[in-house]
Amino acid sequence: MDNLEEREYLYWLSHIPFLGAVKIKKLYDYMGSYKKIYNIERKELESCGFLKESEILFFEERKSYLDSVRRQLEQLEKKGIRFIAHFDPDYPKRLLSIYGYPMGLFVNGQFPGEEKPAAAIIGARNCTNYGRQMAQNLARELSAAGISIISGLAYGIDGAGHEGALEAGQETYGVLGCGINVCYPKENYGLFRQMIKCGGIITEFMPDEAPKPQNFPMRNRIISGLSDAILVIEAREKSGSLITANLGLEQGKEIFALPGRVTDPLSTGCNRLISEGAGVLISPETVLEYFKLQNGKILRVHEKNKNGLAKKEKMVYSCLDLQPKNLEEIVSCSGLSVSECMSVLLELELKGSIIQTSHQYYGKKQ
Amino acid sequence: MYSKVHSIGIIGVEGVPILVEADVSDGLPGFSMVGYLSSQVKEAQDRVRTALKNSGFRIPAKKITINLSPADIRKEGTAFDLPIAIAILSASGMIQSAGLSDCVFSGELGLDGTVNPVPGALSIVIAAKREGKTICYLPRENRREGVFTDGIQVIGLHTLKDLTDHLNGGKKLYQLPDDPVELNTEKDIYDVDFSDVGGQPFLRRATEVAVAGMHNIMYIGPAGTGKTMFAKRIPTIMPSLSFGEIMEISKIYSVCGLLSGETPIMNFRPFRSPHHTISPQAFAGGGRIPRPGEITLASGGVLFLDELSEFQKSTIEILRQPLEEGEITISRSHGAYLFPAKFLLAAAMNPCPCGFYPDRTKCRCSESQVNKYLGRISKPILDRIDICAESSPVSYKELRQGKKGESSASIRNRIERARVMQMERFRGTSILFNSFMKKPDLEKYCSLFETEELYLKQIYDSMSLSARGYEKILKIARTIADLEGSENISKSHLAEAAGLRSREGKFWGGIYG
């Protein structure tokens, strides 16, 4: 069977809105090839029994679009976007083992390497500085140790995970809940561009598809499917990240959750996962041990080198926490005058020991 | 016979001389008034006629013509009743005309001949003095507004009859004894003080720097963290008013009719805090005949905009011209009106709809909600606000420790010193305060030594500042140095300025990158 032609038929078939991955797979198993599906007789469609009358009509009507669909596919290829079907050798093997795997995937860049271990870093969009820094830090250390980092290119934890991996100069992969040519959220456009060159952008949705809310749980199954371990950084009681974690459990992936304070609403989801038996994510080594990888260079969290700071700098630094504090709090806690405190903070910021997370809010940097 | 009497009309907040001419001659009996009059002035006819009758005068059955000149200025208000009455009496020979040319009259007449108060008495007296007049006759209630102007005698009137008797026979008008009006501003005239506020050293410092250099300031933070409390106390630490300033401010309040017998003069700095539902007209000044708006009433003091993001966008955008030029021009078909608007802008707002951002454990607003909320304040307005202070919730300990903060008087001492330094530095230029400096002035007045220059470059690079941000840091650093009494800007001044400067770039919701 000619793969190229089959792909075109699959691409055409994917445009039919009421046909999801599962139904397409059923049709494919029934007919044996996509070309045959295209050329299917009306009677046969009726007899196979899972399409409604109106859907069959629509199906027939769509057949006339084949040519324009072919042209679209060519256009995409010119932009460097590939459409990979499940029978292609490039199709990620990990996905084939999950229920309802996508029959075709769009990719700009590469898929995660099959031989490399992969970890998904997921969590809340509205994250705290603690979560953001931990995600970035973990991603940096893990990817430096040879683990592919996979996430969803969203605000917050997702973005931080990708950033961490890119900082280490390693590939990272983003799975979108929208079309391959849509960057959502647009603030992550910089990441989007970088990841095309270093890693890849992956989606099962048709080009131009808007980021609809119902798309995200669907893309979560791909995130978990592509990874061997899932690291949940921060999640509220009800969170999309928990959906991913559950999907991961069903798919037999290892779940790790970052512990947080019990009172912290953004850690409730993680703490619950831990109480239900998820791995406790104390340091990057936890994950590395799971993958039986060694990396001697990894610094322990919280072990920022404090040497070389002047006395006042130490005074101010010791008042800070990973949770950013308002200038007012820092001033009262350090006991220095406002102007002294502010010059010390700026000094520390310039040295890279602390970070101004928001205007006049400072936190420790890892 | 013909006669003329001087009066003063009000345009904007300034008085302009108006000549009231009357001619009483033979012909069909009648009364006509000309001179681009509004209906209030036209109604003067009936008031004057009746008031004259009730004061014991018989108006001759002749043709009376009144002209208010210059005839191209629109005449408004009721203050011309008195001069019109005097002009008629003088033209018909019922009072002596000698000496009238040195006098200015202003007042509204009641039907029984009483003289009722008018707005803008202070502007009238000032304009009369400028015109070289020696006596100003005002309604009794307005007299005290005028007594602070030297070189002109201000006489308060109760009735028209008193005045005519006085003019005819030199009978001395009974004057209320002048209770001394406090011009003295040293005394604490504000009912709030900075010592009421305990703790919050950072907000204190930010406010102090803002006032010292007249930098506009924005407070951002959750509800109940002291934003309004601090803004209310800004007038208490502003330098004492000079006589000229008192006159400027009082003129505005006089024109708006906001002065009374008890407070005939504004000897304290105004604090205006309009509600956020205010209309653009009420804010900037408006009406067919423009009246001063809130920004003009705040002149010389503080304009406090609480919940800045809740104001109508068009209302906030009005601030662009006044913040730059210290005045506002309102144009109407019959002329343009200029109102002063030299105020310190203090604004307060929440960082997001719920108010808790960036505390993500409490704030559940999405990133785009935060952006949208902050985006209601446009960049040009933001550029004119130099200092931004984030307030954070006050801890119980701070609340209860009962430790008194530094008093307004002692903060004011430092600020006055900084003001003196600025006055000396900018002598001979149009700049009054550090915040007024433009780019070329920065090079001239904010020169840095090599180490400081390097330090600033480091800040500039690491914080990826914009050119605006750089200018703001220099201006604020200059003020901080002035507060310390230091001629040169040092590293610590720059560092503090960098922390105080207003939000921009990624911190302003990332929308004005």
Side-chain angles (χ1 to χ4, degrees):
Chain A
M1 190 68 59
D2 184 357
N3 272 358
L4 183 74
E5 205 185 353
E6 274 292 283
R7 259 210 300 278
E8 279 170 7
Y9 283 116
L10 172 60
Y11 184 66
W12 168 81
L13 195 62
S14 308
H15 272 85
I16 293 170
F18 47 82
L19 288 180
V22 177
K23 275 189 183 174
I24 292 181
K25 184 162 189 303
K26 263 194 202 166
L27 272 174
Y28 181 73
D29 290 346
Y30 185 78
M31 300 299 294
S33 94
Y34 291 110
K35 190 172 180 183
K36 281 188 187 152
I37 298 177
Y38 177 77
N39 290 326
I40 199 166
E41 294 284 329
R42 195 181 164 143
K43 263 190 208 146
E44 222 167 336
L45 260 181
E46 278 165 6
S47 67
C48 75
F50 57 86
L51 287 187
K52 279 182 266 173
E53 185 69 28
S54 58
E55 289 175 344
I56 292 170
L57 275 175
F58 188 81
F59 186 88
E60 295 283 312
E61 189 202 316
R62 291 295 295 196
K63 286 188 176 177
S64 58
Y65 286 82
L66 185 61
D67 275 346
S68 77
V69 159
R70 268 193 185 129
R71 277 198 301 278
Q72 275 180 25
L73 202 54
E74 278 166 27
Q75 292 278 322
L76 284 177
E77 261 154 33
K78 272 184 205 153
K79 287 184 198 155
I81 296 165
R82 292 179 293 150
F83 180 66
I84 305 291
H86 58 101
F87 46 74
D88 282 315
D90 285 353
Y91 192 86
K93 301 280 172 302
R94 287 186 182 99
L95 280 182
L96 289 175
S97 60
I98 68 171
Y99 172 75
Y101 62 85
M103 306 313 278
L105 279 175
F106 296 90
V107 59
N108 199 350
Q110 304 296 322
F111 284 116
E114 301 290 346
E115 68 294 332
K116 262 175 107 177
I121 292 191
I122 56 171
R125 286 180 192 153
N126 296 343
C127 60
T128 64
N129 183 47
Y130 165 70
R132 164 166 273 281
Q133 291 218 27
M134 292 304 284
Q136 202 163 343
N137 199 39
L138 276 167
R140 190 169 52 233
E141 302 296 350
L142 294 181
S143 62
I147 298 175
S148 309
I149 301 296
I150 294 163
S151 195
L153 243 173
Y155 273 125
I157 301 293
D158 285 16
H162 291 308
E163 266 169 35
L166 289 173
E167 266 174 36
Q170 299 295 318
E171 283 112 26
T172 174
Y173 306 88
V175 185
L176 304 182
C178 52
I180 190 88
N181 51 352
V182 181
C183 177
Y184 175 83
K186 60 181 187 303
E187 283 79 358
N188 279 350
Y189 190 65
L191 270 180
F192 190 91
R193 299 288 311 205
Q194 269 181 291
M195 284 166 64
I196 291 171
K197 292 201 194 79
C198 186
I201 306 285
I202 300 159
T203 184
E204 66 171 317
F205 297 100
M206 290 292 118
D208 299 324
E209 170 99 11
K212 295 176 197 143
Q214 69 268 28
N215 290 354
F216 288 91
M218 284 165 77
R219 73 111 202 237
N220 287 352
R221 83 181 195 285
I222 305 182
I223 295 183
S224 58
L226 282 174
S227 2
D228 302 313
I230 295 166
L231 320 182
V232 186
I233 305 298
E234 274 191 317
R236 288 184 190 269
E237 186 85 56
K238 286 177 186 164
S239 157
S241 309
L242 297 185
I243 300 178
T244 316
N246 279 336
L247 285 168
L249 270 182
E250 283 167 21
Q251 296 162 359
K253 313 287 180 179
E254 186 71 14
I255 313 288
F256 291 94
L258 180 77
R261 282 187 276 208
V262 180
T263 49
D264 200 335
L266 270 162
S267 289
T268 323
C270 289
N271 291 340
R272 161 135 327 155
L273 279 176
I274 291 172
S275 74
E276 285 167 1
V280 186
L281 195 53
I282 293 170
S283 75
E285 280 107 332
T286 323
V287 186
L288 293 180
E289 267 164 31
Y290 170 73
F291 285 118
K292 306 273 185 300
L293 285 170
Q294 291 289 318
N295 189 335
K297 285 187 297 179
I298 289 179
L299 277 173
R300 251 173 209 289
V301 183
H302 295 304
E303 237 176 60
K304 186 87 190 174
N305 198 352
K306 272 205 281 179
N307 294 337
L309 294 184
K311 187 167 169 253
K312 275 184 188 163
E313 289 175 353
K314 271 184 195 156
M315 279 164 74
V316 174
Y317 187 78
S318 62
C319 295
L320 294 175
D321 190 4
L322 269 182
Q323 246 354 306
K325 284 185 179 172
N326 181 272
L327 203 50
E328 197 79 76
E329 271 176 82
I330 304 169
V331 171
S332 350
C333 170
S334 68
L336 295 172
S337 79
V338 178
S339 49
E340 265 180 324
C341 189
M342 282 167 82
S343 16
V344 173
L345 280 171
L346 181 67
E347 203 68 52
L348 283 169
E349 200 185 345
L350 292 178
K351 276 187 185 160
S353 312
I354 62 168
I355 183 172
Q356 192 176 3
T357 55
S358 172
H359 187 242
Q360 290 163 3
Y361 278 80
Y362 296 84
K364 273 186 184 168
K365 194 171 172 181
Q366 291 204 345
Chain B
M1 255 183 67
Y2 165 86
S3 85
K4 58 183 181 185
V5 167
H6 297 277
S7 186
I8 303 283
I10 304 277
I11 291 195
V13 292
E14 298 297 333
V16 287
I18 301 284
L19 188 66
V20 180
E21 299 172 294
D23 183 78
V24 177
S25 52
D26 295 336
L28 270 179
F31 196 116
S32 67
M33 289 174 65
V34 292
Y36 201 13
L37 310 176
S38 72
S39 54
Q40 295 146 326
V41 184
K42 282 181 190 147
E43 286 164 0
Q45 199 187 115
D46 294 320
R47 283 194 297 270
V48 168
R49 209 206 293 267
T50 322
L52 284 176
K53 191 200 87 190
N54 289 338
S55 302
F57 296 102
R58 263 180 68 110
I59 299 180
K62 290 186 173 180
K63 180 167 176 51
I64 300 173
T65 312
I66 305 285
N67 178 33
L68 272 61
S69 94
D72 62 341
I73 296 178
R74 179 95 173 154
K75 319 297 182 304
E76 301 287 342
T78 53
F80 298 110
D81 293 2
L82 185 64
I84 290 171
I86 298 296
I88 294 172
L89 290 175
S90 157
S92 47
M94 286 186 264
I95 56 170
Q96 291 167 17
S97 315
L100 281 186
S101 62
D102 287 334
C103 307
V104 160
F105 298 89
S106 193
E108 179 185 320
L109 287 179
L111 296 185
D112 57 350
T114 50
V115 183
N116 295 328
V118 291
L122 182 58
S123 302
I124 292 172
V125 177
I126 291 173
K129 190 194 160 212
R130 202 176 51 225
E131 290 300 307
K133 307 296 175 209
T134 51
I135 305 174
C136 185
Y137 293 96
L138 286 180
R140 195 170 62 179
E141 287 86 344
N142 294 124
R143 199 183 81 83
R144 295 183 69 204
E145 291 173 36
V147 295
F148 296 102
T149 314
D150 292 331
I152 185 162
Q153 193 189 354
V154 180
I155 296 178
L157 304 170
H158 183 44
T159 62
L160 179 61
K161 184 78 182 141
D162 291 348
L163 175 61
T164 50
D165 289 351
H166 170 71
L167 291 174
N168 277 334
K171 182 180 147 199
K172 188 155 181 357
L173 282 166
Y174 173 70
Q175 293 292 295
L176 285 171
D178 289 340
D179 11 318
V181 180
E182 280 295 336
L183 251 190
N184 186 4
T185 52
E186 296 299 311
K187 213 184 75 178
D188 264 325
I189 30 189
Y190 302 98
D191 49 4
V192 290
D193 194 276
F194 255 102
S195 57
D196 311 339
V197 191
Q200 291 180 288
F202 170 65
L203 280 192
R204 270 169 176 278
R205 177 67 177 171
T207 312
E208 179 180 335
V209 174
V211 175
M214 277 294 262
H215 300 284
N216 296 318
I217 183 169
M218 160 115 76
Y219 299 98
I220 297 189
T225 51
K227 303 187 293 271
T228 315
M229 206 159 77
F230 271 88
K232 275 224 170 93
R233 283 161 179 76
I234 292 180
T236 67
I237 58 169
M238 289 173 95
S240 332
L241 286 164
S242 66
F243 182 72
E245 279 177 307
I246 291 179
M247 285 293 135
E248 275 291 313
I249 300 171
S250 301
K251 240 158 70 176
I252 297 165
Y253 278 75
S254 168
V255 166
C256 294
L258 293 175
L259 296 180
S260 62
E262 291 92 64
T263 49
I265 203 114
M266 286 287 290
N267 55 356
F268 55 92
R269 293 190 182 270
F271 177 83
R272 301 298 293 191
S273 156
H275 189 251
H276 58 72
T277 51
I278 191 173
S279 70
Q281 289 76 19
F283 192 61
R288 200 172 54 82
I289 313 302
R291 279 171 53 82
E294 285 294 333
I295 60 171
T296 302
L297 290 175
S299 200
V302 177
L303 179 68
F304 176 53
L305 303 181
D306 204 357
E307 305 301 348
L308 183 67
S309 50
E310 300 297 329
F311 278 79
Q312 281 177 42
K313 209 173 162 81
S314 53
T315 309
I316 304 178
E317 296 306 311
I318 289 169
L319 286 171
R320 293 190 192 194
Q321 188 209 6
L323 283 179
E324 202 84 336
E325 290 161 17
E327 60 193 24
I328 185 159
T329 319
I330 296 169
S331 300
R332 291 289 180 272
S333 57
H334 46 86
Y337 295 74
L338 194 68
F339 292 116
K342 296 186 201 84
F343 52 82
L344 179 88
L345 175 68
M349 65 185 283
N350 293 339
C352 69
C354 77
F356 289 113
Y357 186 85
D359 183 355
R360 277 308 196 180
T361 54
K362 286 185 187 158
C363 168
R364 299 199 61 170
C365 306
S366 75
E367 211 71 25
S368 64
Q369 272 176 309
V370 177
N371 284 358
K372 210 171 144 193
Y373 195 78
L374 295 175
R376 294 191 200 162
I377 317 298
S378 73
K379 183 97 165 83
I381 295 296
L382 219 49
D383 279 341
R384 288 163 172 83
I385 299 176
D386 288 344
I387 295 182
C388 175
E390 297 271 348
S391 60
S392 66
V394 185
S395 67
Y396 186 77
K397 200 178 118 211
E398 260 184 315
L399 211 61
R400 294 292 300 171
Q401 66 188 3
K403 210 172 77 186
K404 280 213 161 190
E406 194 180 5
S407 72
S408 292
S410 95
I411 302 176
R412 189 164 62 222
N413 281 342
R414 284 199 298 276
I415 286 172
E416 298 217 354
R417 199 174 58 196
R419 284 279 171 95
V420 169
M421 280 194 74
Q422 293 174 53
M423 265 158 64
E424 277 167 19
R425 179 177 319 119
F426 301 127
R427 182 163 292 148
T429 66
S430 63
I431 304 172
L432 292 171
F433 308 110
N434 289 336
S435 58
F436 292 9
M437 284 191 284
K438 296 271 176 326
K439 196 149 190 301
D441 309 315
L442 286 174
E443 277 160 27
K444 198 168 151 198
Y445 300 113
C446 302
S447 53
L448 299 175
F449 290 119
E450 205 170 323
T451 48
E452 279 78 30
E453 191 77 61
L454 265 174
Y455 191 60
L456 185 56
K457 183 180 176 295
Q458 212 183 342
I459 297 174
Y460 188 88
D461 291 339
S462 72
M463 292 190 164
S464 51
L465 291 182
S466 64
R468 281 275 185 184
Y470 165 85
E471 285 177 23
K472 279 181 189 172
I473 289 191
L474 268 184
K475 281 194 248 182
I476 303 171
R478 181 68 264 170
T479 304
I480 297 171
D482 287 348
L483 272 171
E484 253 174 43
S486 149
E487 274 302 325
N488 299 313
I489 299 175
S490 75
K491 271 168 92 171
S492 66
H493 301 150
L494 287 171
E496 197 181 346
L500 282 174
R501 79 170 204 294
S502 64
R503 279 183 182 219
E504 62 174 301
K506 66 170 177 169
F507 296 139
W508 194 260
I511 48 171
Y512 297 130

